[in-house]
Amino acid sequence: MKLKLGLATLFLFSLQSYATENTALISQGEYLARAADCMACHTPDSGKPFAGGVKFALPIGTIYSTNISPDKQQGIGDYSESEFSRAVREGVRKDGQRLYPAMPYNAYAKLSDQDIHALYTYFMQGVKAVDQPNSGNDIPWYLAARWPLRIWNAINAPNPTNSATSTSDSDPIKRGAWLVEGPGHCGACHTPRGWMMQEKGLTAASESYLSGAEIEGWFAPSLRQLPYDAEQTALILKTGHNATSAITGPMSSVITHSSQYLTDSDAKAIGLYLDSIRIEKNQRPAALQVSLTDPDKNYLRYCSTCHGKEGQGTPNVIPSLQNNLLVMADNPASLIQVIAQGAQTPQTLGQLSWSMPGYHHVLNDEQLADLTNYVRGRFAGKEEKVTASQVKTFLATH
Ligand code: HEC
Ligand code: HEC
Ligand code: HEC
């Protein structure tokens, strides 16, 4: 009787410790899924979590992300852990077909076996199954063959077994590098792409890495010349704004679904890493006073009430136009989008959103171009001029 009781206690105890261990694993997986932003691409705006169906316009046609909930028919409920690992780190589906690189497996190659184990446990046990079929892709049949992706992969995607690094690195700069290059896949938007649509550089060893790129009519600025320090970078990743800058456009979704959930030390680690790979050149040139045929009338009428006559903004409330990445960027896309469409900081837990009106309905393309040129010339010393037809093109791409 005593022995039996002992065994039963032992059994209960091990069940309980299994449960605790499992809960810990699931929450570790959930944290990684957030850091890797699986949600943004696999959940449509008003859809069920991880049900897929988000549209991606690729140069060869349109594809849709798939259902990665644990539903056995429609989702990935039938994936074994090693099949899951191949899909996430190597871009190979359960049936052996290659995934399009819209799924950032080249970055996820940096996840370790332990990370994959946690992610898999979370997707199988912590996510609700959704019975929603996948949408077909709209790619013409002569381009639809997936086999060329094997070649693309062989050239462009790193081998996971060579690059897997530990998530539990205690050196914050290394941890930051892993978060940025790995789960965060920041390069997918911030690194320019080459002729094969590959990112030009997957680590800071390349000068092109994170040097800025155009995406969906916006410009994702260089992360190697941020005009603020690691603390302020952490703050903008967690809240969508900091003392002098604010986020809008495609980066908002990254903040809402992903970076706001990073621990303070992980957000800071990203800031420290980005600080460590700074390219000093291209710092802000002295502000120029440009003379426009139509002096800064529109700036005074529409902008200065909030951003100030000198573009200085109000710390923590209205971003500064001096030393501002969108204003300093060679590519004017994001600046034009903000002036035309307005801007709103992303929603984050317990934060009020800041917003700015758009001016497309009061200013025509010509006037928008003049105002863009004025802001770039005045606050960043840019002399190249944007034309009305470029403005039209950028706004049409959005
Ligand atoms: C930038 C967008 C993006 C992100 C982020 C992303 N995915 Fe995907 N994923 C896709 C797309 C698009 C496909 C479909 C590609 C195709 O059909 O070739 C896909 C396909 C998959 C598949 C294959 C499923 C199947 O059999 O159809 C799995 C598994 C998967 N993703 C898991 C994940 C996980 C886990 C994460 C987070 C760690 C993640 N994805 C993050 C875009 C993304
Ligand atoms: C889906 C594309 C996308 C991904 C992924 C992405 N970014 Fe961005 N990011 C953008 C765009 C576009 C902008 C410019 C719009 C803006 O500033 O609001 C931007 C702006 C930023 C800015 C703000 C610059 C400013 O205005 O002061 C920072 C900092 C930043 N990104 C960091 C990151 C980091 C770190 C990662 C990875 C964890 C990342 N981004 C991933 C698209 C992306
Ligand atoms: C009602 C106040 C207001 C007015 C008027 C206004 N803005 Fe803004 N502006 C803001 C706020 C608040 C933000 C932050 C929102 C965001 O970026 O998500 C912002 C953001 C911006 C940004 C992006 C800053 C960053 O850090 O990414 C630029 C550039 C900008 N404004 C330029 C202008 C110009 C040019 C005008 C005149 C056409 C103008 N604004 C008019 C309040 C205003």
Side-chain angles (χ1 to χ4, degrees):
M1 176 71 191
K2 222 179 189 176
L3 181 71
K4 256 196 193 155
L5 202 68
L7 274 180
T9 323
L10 194 70
F11 178 68
L12 279 180
F13 180 75
S14 55
L15 254 190
Q16 192 186 11
S17 72
Y18 170 78
T20 334
E21 206 181 287
N22 215 39
T23 316
L25 204 55
I26 291 176
S27 56
Q28 192 199 342
E30 181 176 17
Y31 184 76
L32 277 168
R34 286 221 157 112
D37 210 359
C38 313
M39 183 70 107
C41 294
H42 285 277
T43 309
D45 279 344
S46 51
K48 300 221 168 85
F50 304 115
V54 178
K55 194 169 161 180
F56 291 82
L58 305 184
I60 54 164
T62 304
I63 68 164
Y64 296 88
S65 65
T66 47
N67 184 334
I68 57 165
S69 80
D71 189 85
K72 285 205 187 291
Q73 267 79 45
Q74 318 294 355
I76 58 167
D78 263 347
Y79 269 68
S80 69
E81 184 167 329
S82 68
E83 286 163 347
F84 177 79
S85 160
R86 277 193 90 197
V88 174
R89 293 194 291 189
E90 296 168 54
V92 180
R93 238 163 39 180
K94 184 182 168 76
D95 65 3
Q97 295 271 29
R98 301 274 152 176
L99 295 173
Y100 287 104
M103 158 81 186
Y105 48 82
N106 58 359
Y108 297 157
K110 294 222 153 90
L111 295 170
S112 70
D113 292 346
Q114 160 59 27
D115 298 331
I116 289 290
H117 181 54
L119 263 180
Y120 181 73
T121 312
Y122 166 64
F123 274 98
M124 294 302 142
Q125 297 175 33
V127 171
K128 258 208 181 122
V130 186
D131 177 16
Q132 179 184 303
N134 288 319
S135 329
N137 295 328
D138 309 330
I139 295 179
W141 61 268
Y142 50 89
L143 290 174
R146 285 174 181 258
W147 63 264
L149 292 169
R150 178 192 293 274
I151 304 170
W152 189 95
N153 248 10
I155 304 174
N156 296 309
N159 182 342
T161 44
N162 293 340
S163 51
T165 23
S166 163
T167 43
S168 53
D169 223 304
S170 56
D171 173 349
I173 293 185
K174 280 197 192 144
R175 171 84 183 164
W178 177 81
L179 284 162
V180 167
E181 294 167 6
H185 66 280
C186 314
C189 297
H190 287 272
T191 301
R193 291 183 185 256
W195 66 277
M196 284 178 82
M197 289 309 291
Q198 83 283 18
E199 289 162 37
K200 293 183 175 168
L202 296 174
T203 69
S206 158
E207 282 234 337
S208 300
Y209 183 63
L210 301 181
S211 66
E214 207 173 301
I215 163 162
E216 297 164 15
W218 287 79
F219 182 70
S222 170
L223 298 182
R224 300 183 72 167
Q225 50 183 92
L226 292 177
Y228 31 78
D229 64 13
E231 296 280 353
Q232 291 292 314
T233 305
L235 192 61
I236 208 166
L237 289 172
K238 293 208 60 154
T239 64
H241 48 77
N242 63 19
T244 55
S245 229
I247 299 282
T248 184
M251 184 67 198
S252 298
S253 141
V254 178
I255 294 188
T256 309
H257 298 302
S258 176
S259 66
Q260 68 161 320
Y261 296 103
L262 292 172
T263 60
D264 290 347
S265 71
D266 274 353
K268 179 85 180 291
I270 291 182
L272 289 170
Y273 167 65
L274 293 177
D275 242 0
S276 77
I277 59 164
R278 232 166 234 291
I279 293 174
E280 284 303 336
K281 64 179 197 248
N282 280 342
Q283 282 305 352
R284 176 190 174 227
L288 295 183
Q289 294 290 339
V290 285
S291 51
L292 291 179
T293 38
D294 184 10
D296 48 353
K297 194 177 82 219
N298 281 338
Y299 181 81
L300 289 181
R301 179 185 290 169
Y302 296 119
C303 320
S304 65
T305 21
C306 291
H307 291 282
K309 280 206 173 101
E310 303 300 319
Q312 74 281 11
T314 308
N316 298 307
V317 184
I318 309 270
S320 164
L321 301 181
Q322 304 171 4
N323 246 341
N324 185 293
L325 281 178
L326 302 195
V327 178
M328 292 190 293
D330 285 339
N331 183 318
S334 289
L335 179 59
I336 295 171
Q337 297 290 6
V338 167
I339 300 177
Q341 326 271 4
Q344 184 161 27
T345 54
Q347 255 170 4
T348 52
L349 302 166
Q351 293 282 328
L352 287 177
S353 183
W354 307 346
S355 61
M356 152 177 165
Y359 293 87
H360 207 185
H361 57 290
V362 284
L363 300 172
N364 62 29
D365 292 347
E366 188 85 45
Q367 292 167 314
L368 285 172
D370 283 348
L371 188 52
T372 305
N373 290 332
Y374 172 78
V375 169
R376 276 159 55 92
R378 168 93 190 273
F379 302 117
K382 293 261 178 251
E383 289 176 18
E384 321 83 288
K385 299 274 183 278
V386 170
T387 63
S389 77
Q390 278 173 298
V391 167
K392 203 187 191 75
T393 314
F394 278 124
L395 296 180
T397 329
H398 173 64

